[in-house]
Amino acid sequence: MEALPRRLATDPSLLHPPGAWSPAALLPSDAFGQTGGYDRSKLARLYGSKRAMVARGPRGRDGQPTEAWTLVSPYPSRDMDHLEPGTMLIVLDLDRSGGP
């Protein structure tokens, strides 16, 4: 996880406001949020005392953010049965063009 933000630093579409792309060890509830269609207690049991390494930052065009990226490592398997090695990328589309 520590090497990934350095590799992403060369991507011209990534924006770098203060604090963006800095990995931090977070509780799973802070990494994935309190809303969403997942079992929060199962996620907490899956991570146990382990923290998720999380880096967040915006991606955009012409200095304007169009996406918010969240990188999480390790991440839960699709069935939330085990933690996967590697890094999960969660993308929130911030496009304000008026589409549905």
Side-chain angles (χ1 to χ4, degrees), residues 16-27:
H16 299 277
W21 310 112
S22 298
L26 299 178
L27 293 170

Side-chain angles (χ1 to χ4, degrees), residues 4-41:
L4 190 56
R6 285 192 296 275
R7 286 184 21 215
L8 292 174
T10 61
D11 184 336
S13 69
L14 297 182
L15 306 176
H16 299 277
W21 310 112
S22 298
L26 299 178
L27 293 170
S29 59
D30 293 329
F32 292 96
Q34 296 295 318
T35 61
Y38 66 91
D39 184 333
R40 285 176 282 291
S41 63

